[in-house]
Amino acid sequence: GSFVLSLLLLCSLAQEDGWNYDDSSQEGPAYWDHVDPHCGCQGSVQAPINIAANIVIEAPTDTNADTNSLPPSDPEPFHAMSLPLLSRISDYQSLSQYTVHHNGVELLVPFNSSKGFINFKGTKFYLTQFHFHTPSENQFDYVSLDLEMHLVHKSADNRILVLAVLFLRGEENQALKPIWNQIPHKNSSTIVPATLNISDFLPADLSYFYFKGSLTTPPCSGPVDWLVLSHPVTVSDAQIQMYRSVIPLGHDNRPVQRLDGRDVLLQGTSGFVPLLETVSHQQLKWLRIALIAVCSFFAAFVFFAALIFHRIKKERGSFHMPLPTAQPLLIPQFAEGQPAASNYNQIV
C-alpha cells in the first residue's frame, strides 16, 4: 500500500508540468510513460475504455450488501460476480462549503474523506476528490458524451475506486452551477460558500457498469475498480463551453485504451443497456440530420441546375440564324447555231 502511494507521489510530482493532452506533443498521452520511469501508462488493464454492447454482461444483483457488509469469504470469479445496489452501499454527507482547485490541467474539488464512502465488496472506499473531463473519457460504441465526472475513492490500504457520472447535452445542470460560477484561475483555488451534496450530481437510476481499469492520468496506476453510471444526467451547452474555455486545448480526455480481453458487468434491474440506447438515439438523430442535409443539398442542386438549363435554352431560342435563301440555278443558254465552247467561255 505505502509502496503504491509512493509511486503515485513520485510520478505526480515528476509530471506536474511534464504531461498534457496534446496528441501531437511529446508530452501527450502516447508519451506519458517517457516522462518518468515510475509511471505505468503503457501497462495492461488501462482506462478509459470503449464500452460496447458485445462485451457487456448483465450481472445478478446482490440485494443483501449494504454499507456494513464484510468482504466475501471466497474470491468471486469476475464472470460469476454479483453486484450490489449502489444506493445500499454508498453514504455521502453534505459539506457546508468546499474548495475548487484549478491545477492547470483540470478542475478538482477535494472532499473530506470522513464525509463519504462506498462499501464495495466489503471494502470501504472513502471519497477524496472529484474532477471532470470533456468530452467523456469512457466511450460507448466509440461515441463520447459531453462531460464526465470522476469521484475518486481510496481505501485504508490505498486501493482506488472511481465512480463515474456521465453528462449528456441538454438542460442546465443545477448541481454544477455553484462550481462553474466560482472557477478559479489556473494554478489557484476558490472557496465556494455553498452546500455540496454528492447525491445532487447523481441520476435517479443508479445502475452501473463495472470493470477493472486504471487511473486515466499519470501515473495510470491500477488496478482501479470502475463504476460507471449507466444513466447520464444533463448539462447545458453553455456549461460545456464554460468548462472547455478554462482548460488547455479545450479538452482533457485520455484516449480509450485496449481491452486486453476484459468484459464489463452491468448492475441493473433492466434487461438492456440504457446508456447505449441513449447514445444510439443520439447517433440516429445526427444521422437523420445528415440525411436531411444531403437530400436538401441534392434537391437544391437539381433545382438550380434545371433553372440554369431552362435559362440557357430560353436565351438560345431568342436568336434565329437566317437560313440561306435558294438562288436560281443559272443554266447557260446557247444560241442556235453557235458552238457550246464559245458560250462557256463567255460564262466563265
Side-chain angles (χ1 to χ4, degrees):
S2 59
F3 177 71
V4 173
L5 187 61
S6 298
L7 288 183
L8 268 165
L9 183 60
L10 282 171
C11 188
S12 298
L13 290 174
Q15 300 206 26
E16 185 175 1
D17 295 315
W19 62 272
N20 57 48
Y21 289 100
D22 186 354
D23 292 326
S24 62
S25 166
Q26 292 196 356
E27 295 177 345
Y31 297 92
W32 283 353
D33 254 4
H34 298 185
V35 178
D36 190 273
H38 295 104
C39 303
C41 297
Q42 299 298 329
S44 60
V45 195
Q46 290 287 293
I49 65 169
N50 173 55
I51 300 176
N54 63 339
I55 65 169
V56 174
I57 300 171
E58 189 171 347
T61 300
D62 180 1
T63 57
N64 297 318
D66 58 28
T67 56
N68 296 311
S69 295
L70 299 175
S73 55
D74 297 316
E76 298 174 284
F78 185 86
H79 292 83
M81 187 180 293
S82 59
L83 294 177
L85 294 166
L86 185 59
S87 60
R88 289 179 55 85
I89 62 170
S90 58
D91 183 10
Y92 297 111
Q93 300 176 40
S94 63
L95 301 181
S96 58
Q97 66 176 28
Y98 54 97
T99 300
V100 180
H101 179 58
H102 191 327
N103 62 10
V105 179
E106 61 197 358
L107 294 185
L108 184 145
V109 179
F111 197 86
N112 186 337
S113 60
S114 66
K115 295 288 188 177
F117 69 89
I118 291 176
N119 184 2
F120 188 72
K121 292 297 177 179
T123 299
K124 286 189 177 181
F125 295 86
Y126 296 89
L127 178 60
T128 60
Q129 54 102 336
F130 62 84
H131 58 270
F132 303 90
H133 297 275
T134 184
S136 71
E137 294 199 300
N138 290 292
Q139 294 184 344
F140 303 88
D141 282 335
Y142 291 105
V143 175
S144 296
L145 274 73
D146 299 289
L147 188 71
E148 184 170 345
M149 175 182 181
H150 290 168
L151 295 106
V152 181
H153 301 67
K154 286 186 180 180
S155 66
D157 59 355
N158 291 313
R159 291 163 56 193
I160 299 174
L161 178 147
V162 177
L163 176 65
V165 184
L166 296 147
F167 294 75
L168 193 63
R169 194 184 305 261
E171 296 180 358
E172 184 179 46
N173 190 290
Q174 297 302 313
L176 290 176
K177 284 183 67 175
I179 301 176
W180 263 227
N181 290 338
Q182 298 287 338
I183 293 178
H185 296 294
K186 183 177 178 181
N187 296 319
S188 63
S189 300
T190 301
I191 296 177
V192 181
T195 302
L196 175 65
N197 289 305
I198 295 299
S199 59
D200 292 341
F201 294 96
L202 308 181
D205 189 322
L206 296 178
S207 298
Y208 60 89
F209 300 105
Y210 170 63
F211 62 90
K212 289 286 188 179
S214 69
L215 297 176
T216 63
T217 57
C220 311
S221 55
V224 172
D225 289 302
W226 278 84
L227 310 181
V228 180
L229 296 181
S230 62
H231 287 268
V233 295
T234 62
V235 60
S236 70
D237 183 69
Q239 288 177 312
I240 296 168
Q241 299 307 322
M242 171 65 76
Y243 183 69
R244 289 178 178 174
S245 69
V246 300
I247 56 175
L249 307 174
H251 70 89
D252 59 349
N253 62 309
R254 186 190 190 191
V256 293
Q257 305 296 299
R258 62 182 187 274
L259 284 172
D260 291 325
R262 283 174 288 175
D263 288 318
V264 176
L265 299 183
L266 169 66
Q267 189 288 314
T269 55
S270 55
F272 58 92
V273 183
L275 189 52
L276 295 181
E277 289 197 341
T278 301
V279 171
S280 297
H281 287 315
Q282 287 291 105
Q283 290 175 311
L284 186 59
K285 172 187 172 183
W286 288 112
L287 179 61
R288 286 172 178 166
I289 293 174
L291 286 174
I292 291 172
V294 170
C295 292
S296 300
F297 175 80
F298 182 74
F301 175 80
V302 171
F303 173 78
F304 285 109
L307 191 66
I308 293 171
F309 177 78
H310 177 74
R311 184 172 181 178
I312 292 174
K313 183 178 179 181
K314 184 177 180 180
E315 289 177 351
R316 284 184 175 177
S318 64
F319 293 99
H320 298 287
M321 296 293 291
L323 294 174
T325 55
Q327 298 294 327
L329 182 62
L330 297 178
I331 301 175
Q333 301 293 325
F334 297 105
E336 188 175 346
Q338 289 185 348
S342 173
N343 283 333
Y344 176 77
N345 292 334
Q346 291 175 3
I347 296 173
V348 176

